[in-house]
Amino acid sequence: MQNNNTLTSPTLTDISADSFVQAYNLFVQQGDFISLTRQFEQGLAQTGRENNLNFNVKGAKVSLLDSGVLLVEPQSSATSDKPSKSIVISSGIHGNETAPIEIVQQIVGDIIAQKITLKHRTLFIMGNPVAMNIAKRFQTENLNRLFCGKHQDIAACFEKDRAEKLERYVSAFFNAGTENGEVTNYHYDLHTAIRNSKYEKFAIYPFQNGKPWDKEQLSFMASCGVNTILFGHGPSGTFSYYSSANFSAHAFTIELGKVRPFGENDMANFSAMTEQLTALVTDRELSLKTFANADFNLFTALGDITKVSENFKLYIDDSASNFTDYPVDTLLSTDTGQEYRTTQPGESIVFPNANVGNGQRAVLMVVPTTLS
Ligand SMILES: [Zn+2]
C-alpha cells in the first residue's frame, strides 16, 4: 500500500508495474508516443537498453530508453546497407511547444505502423514530459539552458535531472554509432517561438568556433521551409550546441512558428519539415537546391543589450516581432549612464525581454550577413 505522501511525491515508474506494462503494450500496438510519454512524466526507474523494452518493426528495432526517449535502429544484414548517419530528432524541450512533439509523433507513428522503413539510427526525443502535462515552457528551469553540464550548477528539480539524463542518452547514442565505422551525426532540435517573428520559421546554427558554416545543411534547412538562419556567436547551454560541440553533429535549434496548444496546430504548415526529416531517416533522396545567399535571410550577432540596473528602460514594444529592424540611430534602451542606439543598416532585434535580472541579456542584436 502506498500512503498519500508517496502518491503525491514525484516517482520514477517501475517498468514491471501493471499500469506501465499495459500502456507499453498499447504503445507497441498503436504507436501513440505522446500518450505513453505523458503518462509516465517523471521517467522510468530502469532506463537504457538494459531495460529490454524493445520490439521489432519492418526493418528496424525500436527501444524505449526512458519516457520520451525512443531509439530506432535499422536491422539489415547487408553490409552495403550499413547506416552511415546517426540522427537525433528532439522536441518538447519546452513543454508547451506542441507542433514539434506532433512532428516526432507522426514519424514515430509511421515507423511503428510500418508505413515507412527506417534506414539510419535515429533517437527520437520528447524532452520535457512534466512541462508538456502542465502546458508550460518548463516547470522550474528552462531546460534549453542546462546542457553542456550547466545542469550541475542549479538546485534539484525535474529539469536538472532530465538534462543530465538526456545528455547521457545522446552521448551513448552518438558513441555507439561510431562503432559502425564512418558515421555523420545530426541533431535537429525542434521548437516553436513564444513571440511573433518577421520570418515565421528560423533556425539557430550553433557556434562553430571557427569551423565553416555548412552550406549543404543550410540547403537542407531551406528544403524544410526554414530559410532564416541566425549564426550562433558563442558557446551556450542549448541541446543543439551540446551535440554540435561534443559530437561534431550537424545541429540546429529550429523555430517553426508560434506556440499553440495540442491539436490546434495546422500540421500542413509543418509538412515540409516532417517530409524532409522522414526522407532523411528513411534515406530517400533529398533533392536540395545549391546554396545561394539570395534564397536566405542570414543574420549574425552584433551583441547584446544588457540590463545593468533597475533604471533600465527598453523602448521596444512587448509584442515586437523577432527580426524587426530599426533605422540607424534609433534609441532602443537607456540605463544608468548609458543608452543603446542602432549603428548598422538592417540592425534587428531577437528575443527581446525587459524582465530579466541585472547583468542579463534583454535583447540580442543581429545584422544581416552573407556567406562567401
Ligand atoms: Zn522552445
Side-chain angles (χ1 to χ4, degrees):
M1 283 295 264
Q2 286 182 299
N3 61 34
N4 284 337
N5 206 14
T6 49
L7 273 177
T8 50
S9 65
T11 45
L12 300 173
T13 301
D14 180 345
I15 61 170
S16 64
D18 286 348
S19 59
F20 179 78
V21 173
Q22 266 179 27
Y24 175 74
N25 287 336
L26 197 65
F27 167 68
V28 173
Q29 288 162 27
Q30 302 182 348
D32 189 343
F33 189 36
I34 295 180
S35 169
L36 183 71
T37 301
R38 293 183 70 171
Q39 282 178 75
F40 304 98
E41 60 171 21
Q42 294 293 330
L44 307 182
Q46 300 85 5
T47 60
R49 288 163 182 279
E50 299 72 27
N51 67 16
N52 286 319
L53 296 173
N54 57 65
F55 56 100
N56 291 318
V57 293
K58 190 174 69 182
K61 179 178 167 187
V62 180
S63 307
L64 183 72
L65 304 184
D66 199 344
S67 279
V69 184
L70 195 73
L71 170 65
V72 189
E73 300 162 290
Q75 305 281 292
S76 169
S77 46
T79 43
S80 60
D81 255 13
K82 260 194 175 177
S84 56
K85 295 173 179 162
S86 293
I87 304 160
V88 177
I89 301 176
S90 55
S91 66
I93 291 297
H94 295 133
N96 60 344
E97 298 177 0
T98 55
I101 297 166
E102 290 176 335
I103 291 173
V104 164
Q105 170 57 44
Q106 192 170 331
I107 303 173
V108 167
D110 284 352
I111 291 169
I112 293 177
Q114 319 208 27
K115 287 184 193 161
I116 57 174
T117 306
L118 184 123
K119 290 285 168 58
H120 294 293
R121 302 174 67 248
T122 307
L123 188 65
F124 294 97
I125 294 174
M126 295 180 180
N128 193 336
V130 168
M132 280 165 70
N133 279 340
I134 55 174
K136 292 246 161 70
R137 195 168 160 76
F138 50 83
Q139 184 181 48
T140 311
E141 292 279 346
N142 181 351
L143 184 54
N144 211 25
R145 301 278 176 278
L146 301 184
F147 293 94
C148 298
K150 295 193 194 305
H151 53 81
Q152 289 158 9
D153 306 335
I154 62 163
C157 65
F158 176 75
E159 283 87 6
K160 175 188 175 83
D161 184 52
R162 188 70 172 169
E164 184 269 319
K165 285 179 176 166
L166 290 178
E167 283 188 354
R168 202 148 23 94
Y169 300 136
V170 167
S171 162
F173 171 73
F174 283 134
N175 286 333
T178 58
E179 289 164 12
N180 297 324
E182 193 73 6
V183 168
T184 309
N185 294 336
Y186 301 82
H187 184 171
Y188 301 107
D189 185 34
L190 310 179
H191 290 252
T192 46
I194 311 170
R195 59 177 58 244
N196 285 318
S197 176
K198 185 172 161 188
Y199 309 109
E200 192 198 19
K201 297 183 172 72
F202 64 97
I204 301 162
Y205 196 152
F207 176 62
Q208 294 295 300
N209 199 15
K211 262 196 302 176
W213 307 105
D214 189 293
K215 287 178 180 168
E216 198 183 328
Q217 279 297 302
L218 296 179
S219 295
F220 178 68
M221 281 295 105
S223 77
C224 296
V226 182
N227 73 340
T228 298
I229 309 287
L230 173 56
F231 296 117
H233 62 303
S236 75
T238 65
F239 204 11
S240 67
Y241 180 75
Y242 172 75
S243 294
S244 171
N246 292 290
F247 303 98
S248 299
H250 292 300
F252 290 88
T253 303
I254 304 172
E255 302 280 356
L256 292 169
K258 234 185 148 190
V259 166
R260 292 190 208 293
F262 275 119
E264 290 182 23
N265 296 301
D266 174 9
M267 294 312 282
N269 190 19
F270 311 108
S271 59
M273 187 86 236
T274 312
E275 272 167 32
Q276 286 300 88
L277 289 176
T278 300
L280 185 70
V281 300
T282 59
D283 205 30
R284 222 191 299 138
E285 175 111 40
L286 300 167
S287 62
L288 300 182
K289 202 173 160 217
T290 307
F291 174 85
N293 280 298
D295 295 333
F296 289 84
N297 307 300
L298 304 176
F299 290 93
T300 187
L302 195 61
D304 294 340
I305 298 181
T306 303
K307 177 178 173 180
V308 176
S309 75
E310 289 311 315
N311 296 323
F312 180 72
K313 259 189 138 26
L314 189 62
Y315 302 107
I316 296 167
D317 197 83
D318 265 356
S319 60
S321 300
N322 278 330
F323 300 104
T324 301
D325 60 311
Y326 296 88
V328 170
D329 206 33
T330 305
L331 180 67
L332 294 187
S333 74
T334 54
D335 207 334
T336 306
Q338 53 185 275
E339 61 176 35
Y340 187 95
R341 282 178 191 275
T342 52
T343 57
Q344 315 258 337
E347 204 172 323
S348 311
I349 55 162
V350 191
F351 311 129
N353 181 5
N355 298 316
V356 293
N358 290 345
Q360 291 187 327
R361 178 178 85 192
V363 193
L364 173 63
M365 299 307 301
V366 301
V367 281
T369 187
T370 53
L371 293 186
S372 51

